[in-house]
Amino acid sequence: MTRILVTGGAGYVGSHTVLVLLQEGYEVMVIDNMVNAVLEGSGGKPESLNRVEKITGKTVDFEIIDLMDLEALRRVVKTKGPFESCIHFAALKSVGESCQQPLRYYRNNGTGSINLLEVLGENNCKSIIFSSSATVYGDPQYLPLDEKHPTGSCTNPYGKTKFIMEEIMRDVCTADPEWKAIMLRYFNPVGAHASGLIGEDPLGIPNNLMPFIAQVAVGRRKALQVFGNDYDTPDGTGVRDYIHVMDLAVGHVAAVRRAKEDSFKGWKAFNLGTGKGNSVLQMVAAFEAAAGNKIAYDIVPRRSGDIATSYADCSLAATELKWTAKKTIADMCADTWRWQSGNPKGFAA
Ligand code: WQD
């Protein structure tokens, strides 16, 4: 049985990816420091993973491990392996928070990832699938964004940690050709598993659009603040490439398969998006159609650091990972609504 180590696997994209790995017949070990997830449910496991086990009928190994705890990390990788590959989700991910707490982000996302790479290498697991982000492209110089677009001009510490980690992994592969590293640059992950049992459950006030809309729809928030309607876009609101989290999860398993092939060498980045852009107001309208109720919103000034438009050229993933996104905006909204309306308080009982 092929065994995969998943860091941050209790989280949103992580838990959906663990689900698909299990359904594809992989054994999975999740380590997570639980800073961004809710530890509920039986067996000392996060509720998100209890529900993944319920959906799949399979079990997941789990330990609370902080990547900053090198000894604990070393113990787990040594005793719970061997692992064919590691999918690395664990990271702090709030753009705004990273601007207030840059050192916390560089330490957690940077040093934590370096610890992981060191311990994986020591245990001969020289294969990593990295949760990167389209934010590494900064303000687009052209659209759609392809993997040749310059990276590194992102302005916030969160985005810089993603860029820096990509470069660190590139250098590790250059220094040791046995290493394989696949950077998956997500555009905007949204949606939930069709069962409605797992989904995005941000702690506190959601930073991102879709969970905020969902919380307005379920009555947890009064109204959405639309950050600016004076962008150079069809309706003046920001345009993004929203991708269903289940498509994203399938993309990670495609990357695990690609990394295993002898023909794959070294370091490579792939965009995971749909290639289509939708505006904030288009997403509001789509969600209203899915939920059957109006979403109250107010137009407010732009959020600093936001760009007008971003959407992917994902032809490289199509040719090399044999992967394309299949789900529509309507699927994303219907699945998000099923999750949020069934779990108004997220995973907290
Ligand atoms: C989308 C659009 C906002 C909230 C960020 C990170 C990226 C990734 C995804 C982690 C924009 C508008 C949003 C709200 C709004 N994160 N908006 N009101 O900023 O494209 O990307 O999240 O991996 O790395 O940069 O996503 O969902 O925050 O914003 O009007 O309450 O919705 O202005 O146009 P973003 P988002």
Side-chain angles (χ1 to χ4, degrees):
M1 186 84 104
T2 304
R3 201 163 164 76
I4 306 292
L5 177 67
V6 178
T7 75
Y12 173 44
V13 181
S15 57
H16 286 80
T17 301
V18 168
L19 186 146
V20 176
L21 283 167
L22 293 171
Q23 289 179 331
E24 291 295 315
Y26 291 94
E27 266 188 7
V28 178
M29 167 92 207
V30 169
I31 56 176
D32 197 305
N33 69 1
M34 301 305 296
V35 75
N36 225 0
V38 176
L39 185 55
E40 290 272 324
S42 57
K45 279 182 188 165
E47 182 56 19
S48 58
L49 294 183
N50 282 330
R51 296 192 187 183
V52 166
E53 292 186 330
K54 181 177 179 181
I55 296 165
T56 60
K58 310 214 169 169
T59 55
V60 187
D61 278 349
F62 173 75
E63 275 205 41
I64 298 181
I65 297 285
D66 192 314
L67 298 183
M68 295 303 293
D69 182 348
L70 191 53
E71 285 325 303
L73 177 60
R74 199 163 260 144
R75 171 184 56 77
V76 163
V77 176
K78 198 174 181 65
T79 60
K80 298 286 189 174
F83 298 106
E84 177 194 284
S85 187
C86 173
I87 304 180
H88 179 29
F89 292 104
L92 295 170
K93 55 159 275 186
S94 164
V95 169
E97 187 183 60
S98 77
C99 296
Q100 266 77 51
Q101 306 172 32
L103 290 181
R104 179 175 172 228
Y105 271 67
Y106 285 115
R107 183 176 295 115
N108 184 80
N109 295 3
T111 308
S113 300
I114 291 168
N115 288 347
L116 176 67
L117 289 164
E118 189 178 345
V119 172
L120 290 172
E122 286 167 2
N123 290 277
N124 205 30
C125 174
K126 295 183 177 181
S127 168
I128 190 160
I129 312 300
F130 178 57
S131 168
S132 190
S133 169
T135 205
V136 301
Y137 293 122
D139 207 339
Q141 293 172 18
Y142 59 79
L143 288 167
L145 287 158
D146 62 16
E147 290 84 353
K148 295 188 186 71
H149 186 285
T151 57
S153 65
C154 30
T155 53
N156 60 79
Y158 159 75
K160 288 178 188 175
T161 66
K162 290 297 183 183
F163 167 67
I164 292 165
M165 282 324 302
E166 286 200 359
E167 291 306 303
I168 288 173
M169 290 175 199
R170 193 202 300 265
D171 291 344
V172 167
C173 292
T174 305
D176 176 355
E178 282 184 24
W179 266 98
K180 298 184 177 189
I182 291 183
M183 311 293 103
L184 295 181
R185 292 173 179 164
Y186 311 164
F187 278 70
N188 288 65
V190 295
H193 185 259
S195 66
L197 290 176
I198 57 174
E200 189 170 13
D201 184 25
L203 301 180
I205 300 173
N207 295 305
N208 297 133
L209 180 67
M210 187 64 110
F212 203 108
I213 289 176
Q215 290 190 14
V216 172
V218 82
R220 215 164 133 189
R221 308 274 166 207
K222 276 179 67 61
L224 169 73
Q225 291 191 310
V226 176
F227 297 142
N229 66 348
D230 57 350
Y231 286 102
D232 181 14
T233 62
D235 64 17
T237 63
V239 170
R240 297 291 185 277
D241 185 332
Y242 296 95
I243 174 169
H244 197 294
V245 67
M246 287 306 292
D247 279 328
L248 215 47
V250 171
H252 284 76
V253 181
V256 166
R257 285 204 192 96
R258 180 67 184 123
K260 189 171 171 55
E261 292 169 350
D262 292 342
S263 60
F264 184 84
K265 306 281 181 214
W267 182 99
K268 196 156 191 176
F270 296 93
N271 287 339
L272 296 190
T274 66
K276 301 184 204 70
N278 279 271
S279 75
V280 174
L281 293 183
Q282 283 176 308
M283 295 304 282
V284 168
F287 204 91
E288 288 178 335
N293 56 16
K294 294 299 280 177
I295 303 291
Y297 67 83
D298 304 305
I299 304 290
V300 299
R302 295 182 179 189
R303 177 172 63 178
S304 70
D306 272 0
I307 58 177
T309 301
S310 167
Y311 59 94
D313 171 338
C314 19
S315 50
L316 191 62
T319 49
E320 192 159 340
L321 300 183
K322 310 236 179 331
W323 170 92
T324 53
K326 302 273 188 276
K327 292 185 179 280
T328 64
I329 294 289
D331 296 328
M332 295 172 210
C333 293
D335 292 340
T336 302
W337 177 238
R338 191 177 306 109
W339 150 251
Q340 194 72 87
S341 56
N343 303 271
K345 292 185 182 160
F347 289 115

